[in-house]
Every structure is written in structure tokens, then in C-alpha cells.
Amino acid sequence: MLFALICKDKPNHLQVRLDARPDHVAFLNDLNAKGALKFAGPFLDADGKPDGSLVVIDAADAEAAQAVAGTDPYAKAGLFESVQIRPWNWVFNNPASA
């Protein structure tokens, strides 16, 4: 089942994001190698600077998705003001259904 992790950064935490980014990228690469990562990328503010994340993963259930979200280095670094986890249905342009 797919889950969207919708993460909003705390204000004025860009340096936290930059410092944790190498570990976050390694974390996403590991999820990708396991086939769990569908896609990911940052939300951008009006100035084009990252201020959140959208990560879509394949997980067994909401509890498993929550566990993944909790192990993200950004979450461990205290970057996020909030993390919303929503079941998601990839209807259009899904390469798996092509």
C-alpha cells in the first residue's frame, strides 16, 4: 500500500536540513534499494528554498509507514514541525500500471 509522508519543516531550520541531507539521501537510497521508495522531493518556499518534503513509500500499513517516517534522519534531527501520513492511490502516470 502506498503512503504519502507530507513533512513540513520548522521555520528557520534550513541549516538543520542542509546538515542532515547526506544521511537523508542515504536513507532514501536505502529505501529505494529495498523497493519501498516510489518518489521523493522537497517542497519549496516562495524564494525557492526547501521548507518540507514529500516522500511516497510502499508500506504494509500505516504503522509501518509511521516507523519509516520516524527513522528518517531529517525527523531524527528535529527538522520537521509536522509529519502527516496519508494512504495514497497513484492513478495517473504510475509506471507500475503502464
Side-chain angles (χ1 to χ4, degrees):
M1 179 173 208
L2 296 180
F3 290 88
L5 313 180
I6 304 161
C7 310
K8 181 179 178 184
D9 292 3
K10 292 177 183 171
N12 304 312
H13 274 62
L14 181 58
Q15 192 59 52
V16 172
R17 175 178 277 274
L18 296 174
D19 291 345
R21 188 172 190 281
D23 291 336
H24 173 72
V25 170
F27 168 77
L28 293 178
N29 282 331
D30 184 56
L31 285 177
N32 192 49
K34 294 174 181 173
L37 180 67
K38 296 306 175 186
F39 59 85
F43 290 110
L44 304 175
D45 67 13
D47 296 322
K49 294 186 175 152
D51 66 352
S53 299
L54 172 62
V55 179
V56 176
I57 60 169
D58 190 358
D61 53 31
E63 208 170 272
Q66 179 67 48
V68 170
T71 60
D72 185 329
Y74 280 169
K76 288 181 173 184
L79 175 62
F80 298 135
E81 178 178 277
S82 65
V83 176
Q84 187 178 24
I85 300 172
R86 305 268 322 259
W88 189 69
N89 185 20
W90 192 348
V91 176
F92 293 97
N93 295 324
N94 182 343
S97 63

